[in-house]
Amino acid sequence: MMNPQPSSNIEPVALLDVGRGNQPLRDEVLSAIAEVYDSGRFLFGPAVSELEQAVAETCNTKTAVGCASGSDALLLALMANDIGPGDEVIVPSFTFFATASCVTRVGAKLVFVDIDPQTYNLSPEAVANAITPRTRAIIPVHLFGQSAAMDEITRLAEGKGISVIEDAAQAIGAAYHGRPVGSWGQCGCISFYPTKNLGGIGDGGMLSTNSESFADRVRLCASHGMRPRYYHSIVGINSRLDTIQATALVIKMRHLNRYSQMRRDNAQRYMQMFQEAGIVSESADGVQLPYQDPAALHVWNQFSLRVGGGQRDALREHLSQQKIGSEIYYPIPLHQQECYADLGYGAGSLPETERAAKEILHLPIYPELTEQEQTRVVAAVAAYYGANSISSAA
Ligand SMILES: *Cc1c(COP(=O)(O)O)cnc(C)c1O
């Protein structure tokens, strides 16, 4: 490429540095964990219900149920609905694997549908066309922190015995038309994986719901279907959020609104910087900024560029040479994964999903990213396109 060799003294810009968020809370978290250690209440400690309450408040739902991961939250949601063989579940293919694998796990049929090319979220029109009498659930994903079109999707499900299970793994704190994600559907599935907007110090997950009876069913499914002790009415799994995780998360949760605002500020700064650098274009061959749905309160788990003209991988290589972290979420759509080859979705079956997988590129956006680092990122992208107007800022 035309790039000069990176000088060895340029500071790397990491895609994500969880340490910057965790370090200021270190003493507070460690002393709270020490209390858990001394208490011996490693499971079902008070921090678990405290976190459940805090998440329910954020989602504006009646209740929430902790579990071991976001993946388990999705699986438990299907189990609690008794979804299984003969049932169909509509999911996007442009998402993390866990959105779909839960459907396979319960033995139901995956129905992949295409996305809206602007938001990358489930296309309501595609969902409408995929609904059959066997459809039991729809799993919209609030991808990259922006809510799917929940008004339309919930309307499509209404009165048909179809549960809407929100995959809110990347979107805690987001909203649509002012209503928090996790409160639109029957439940919201949240992940505390360390890279998520509310990241733990290990794995963790939660379901938000307005239905006490559904929450109770989820708790039963998450505890081997055991009630009372050693009496099993159904075959469940073991999925718990442990007290140490909840303890760290309760502390971080107090800062969630601030973290979300920092992500939004970073996103707006990128938008302005990219516009000023003069490399954004409406053309399909150029660079397009992420689309913001005016109805959505975005929490920016990821900031994505759409890089047309077949330039995505070369641009990413250029950024890597400049020591700038980037990632592709997701390079292979789920309908094209080897494990789902037998479902028979050929190349071209979900055109917008396949195009997004070829064109999307994600840049650092985490809350503590500095303006100076963002300047470097934008300058490096600009330099790739030969727009040297601001590259001197590097
Ligand atoms: C992270 C993620 C999950 C799974 O969450 P884990 O806590 O890692 O199991 C599910 N869906 C989406 C969209 C995710 O990004």
Side-chain angles (χ1 to χ4, degrees):
M1 281 269 14
M2 68 265 189
N3 338 311
Q5 283 298 310
S7 57
S8 53
N9 59 7
I10 58 172
E11 280 290 306
V13 180
L15 180 68
L16 175 65
D17 181 353
V18 292
R20 287 193 202 173
N22 287 335
Q23 200 57 33
L25 304 174
R26 186 176 186 275
D27 293 346
E28 191 182 357
V29 169
L30 290 187
S31 72
I33 287 175
E35 278 179 39
V36 176
Y37 188 86
D38 294 338
S39 78
R41 296 192 63 189
F42 306 135
L43 299 168
F44 306 109
V48 177
S49 41
E50 205 182 318
L51 185 68
E52 288 173 343
Q53 261 175 29
V55 168
E57 225 166 86
T58 290
C59 295
N60 198 20
T61 54
K62 284 204 183 111
T63 188
V65 182
C67 64
S69 67
S71 304
D72 273 9
L74 287 159
L75 177 63
L76 287 164
L78 294 179
M79 291 174 72
N81 274 298
D82 253 318
I83 290 173
D87 299 330
E88 293 178 3
V89 180
I90 297 173
V91 301
S93 168
F94 195 57
T95 177
F96 179 63
F97 188 64
T99 312
S101 60
C102 57
V103 179
T104 310
R105 279 274 150 250
V106 298
K109 182 183 170 194
L110 271 170
V111 178
F112 286 119
V113 305
D114 214 348
I115 51 169
D116 173 298
Q118 285 193 294
T119 63
Y120 304 108
N121 281 322
L122 262 191
S123 151
E125 199 187 351
V127 171
N129 291 332
I131 290 176
T132 76
R134 289 174 180 263
T135 306
R136 290 285 319 282
I138 304 168
I139 312 184
V141 179
H142 308 308
L143 202 64
F144 310 143
Q146 178 162 248
S147 175
M150 292 310 295
D151 48 354
E152 292 181 67
I153 292 169
T154 49
R155 213 176 301 130
L156 288 169
E158 224 167 68
K160 300 192 183 101
I162 299 173
S163 301
V164 176
I165 296 166
E166 297 176 61
D167 183 338
Q170 302 181 2
I172 187 169
Y176 199 66
H177 288 299
R179 179 168 162 185
V181 303
S183 71
W184 282 87
Q186 178 188 45
C187 64
C189 300
I190 291 157
S191 166
F192 302 124
Y193 184 76
T195 66
K196 302 298 162 79
N197 284 26
L198 181 61
I201 52 173
D203 274 315
M206 197 165 283
L207 278 101
S208 61
T209 180
N210 270 315
S211 164
E212 298 281 2
S213 63
F214 184 73
D216 185 66
R217 186 79 185 166
V218 169
R219 286 190 197 279
L220 184 67
C221 292
S223 57
H224 284 305
M226 180 167 78
R227 191 180 288 163
R229 194 170 279 266
Y230 308 127
Y231 286 76
H232 302 264
S233 51
I234 58 164
V235 180
I237 59 173
N238 170 26
S239 185
R240 291 184 285 242
L241 178 66
D242 65 58
T243 313
I244 283 178
Q245 276 315 320
T247 297
L249 287 163
V250 161
I251 291 168
K252 290 190 83 175
M253 182 88 198
R254 296 181 194 131
H255 303 273
L256 180 63
N257 286 339
R258 187 168 57 84
Y259 296 150
S260 299
Q261 190 55 50
M262 289 162 87
R263 287 174 182 272
R264 273 194 288 277
D265 291 346
N266 290 346
Q268 296 323 315
R269 199 176 297 126
Y270 265 143
M271 297 284 196
Q272 199 184 340
M273 285 175 165
F274 275 112
Q275 292 291 356
E276 284 169 7
I279 46 172
V280 179
S281 88
E282 293 302 305
S283 124
D285 285 344
V287 172
Q288 286 169 275
L289 295 174
Y291 171 77
Q292 296 182 78
D293 184 335
L297 176 69
H298 202 321
V299 293
W300 298 99
N301 180 247
Q302 299 296 339
F303 185 92
S304 50
L305 295 182
R306 190 191 268 276
V307 184
Q311 297 294 305
R312 194 264 314 268
D313 294 343
L315 171 59
R316 183 164 191 230
E317 177 54 32
H318 169 80
L319 294 178
S320 155
Q321 282 177 18
Q322 300 297 312
K323 299 189 184 172
I324 291 168
S326 67
E327 189 50 274
I328 297 165
Y329 305 109
Y330 296 88
I332 318 250
L334 300 186
H335 71 283
Q336 297 185 308
Q337 295 288 343
E338 185 181 347
C339 63
Y340 287 139
D342 60 350
L343 296 181
Y345 290 84
S349 57
L350 300 175
E352 289 302 344
T353 295
E354 291 164 37
R355 187 165 71 92
K358 288 193 179 82
E359 296 186 340
I360 206 158
L361 182 65
H362 294 88
L363 301 177
I365 183 73
Y366 65 97
E368 300 81 11
L369 186 73
T370 66
E371 184 170 347
Q372 197 182 2
E373 288 171 318
Q374 289 191 275
T375 304
R376 270 206 60 215
V377 172
V378 177
V381 175
Y384 176 81
Y385 284 98
N388 290 309
S389 53
I390 66 160
S391 61
S392 57

